[in-house]
Amino acid sequence: RQRQMCIRDSHAPVKRVFAYVDDAEKLVEWLPGMIEVHDITGRGAGQQQAWTYKMAGVHLHGEAVIVEHVPNSHAVHQTIGMIHSTFAYTVEPHEAGTLLILEVDYNIPVPVLGRFAERFVLARNSREFELALMNVKETMEGSEASV
């Protein structure tokens, strides 16, 4: 079982950052490895979606449900399928903008990827979660400049 936690600040307002990371259709824009999100039903707590995520060159498929949702604050997704995880994001006011905290608790699907790939995948996932936060920051701050 692995746990990743990444924190990044942005000058964008809390409400805008939360709306962006909370939009299931936008996941493929900012979360590296997320290939597709489809069959989205509902909003907020109880929302369900199917997904395809690429890890170490392997396409993993599954479903997610939002099990906790506090608008403009926090959401927790539980995923099942070829990988099981808890994917949570929290936004909070910070200086002149927003602090975005991404926490992911997951199991590497060793039978699918192999024991040899496990260490490589852990290091790569850590970099990808950091990149995810940078993607959000750049999108939020880039769209501010164009307004």
Side-chain angles (χ1 to χ4, degrees):
R1 193 144 196 92
Q2 300 301 318
R3 184 164 186 79
Q4 302 278 333
M5 182 172 174
C6 302
I7 301 172
R8 179 71 57 187
D9 68 327
S10 170
H11 297 297
V14 166
K15 186 175 183 177
R16 209 160 112 241
V17 173
F18 187 84
Y20 183 67
V21 298
D22 196 51
D23 185 342
E25 293 179 354
K26 301 285 188 198
L27 273 172
V28 297
E29 291 180 12
W30 65 270
L31 185 60
M34 186 60 72
I35 304 297
E36 179 184 28
V37 177
H38 57 95
D39 297 334
I40 302 165
T41 59
R43 298 257 328 133
Q47 176 182 298
Q48 297 179 20
Q49 63 208 27
W51 49 264
T52 302
Y53 188 84
K54 186 176 179 180
M55 183 183 290
V58 176
H59 286 213
L60 305 171
H61 307 280
E63 298 175 356
V65 63
I66 298 178
V67 296
E68 185 178 328
H69 192 268
V70 179
N72 301 317
S73 176
H74 183 78
V76 178
H77 297 235
Q78 292 285 327
T79 70
I80 59 169
M82 295 174 76
I83 189 169
H84 295 266
S85 71
T86 301
F87 181 89
Y89 43 89
T90 301
V91 294
E92 51 190 56
H94 178 72
E95 295 176 4
T98 300
L99 193 64
L100 172 58
I101 303 164
L102 176 63
E103 297 178 77
V104 185
D105 188 9
Y106 62 100
N107 285 324
I108 298 287
V110 173
V112 176
L113 298 178
R115 178 70 59 197
F116 177 75
E118 185 175 16
R119 190 173 303 150
F120 165 77
V121 170
L122 290 174
R124 183 178 189 96
N125 285 351
S126 181
R127 288 189 307 273
E128 286 185 354
F129 294 138
E130 286 289 340
L131 181 57
L133 294 181
M134 283 301 301
N135 289 342
V136 172
K137 179 180 175 71
E138 289 173 2
T139 298
M140 292 292 96
E141 293 178 0
S143 62
E144 281 180 349
S146 64
V147 173

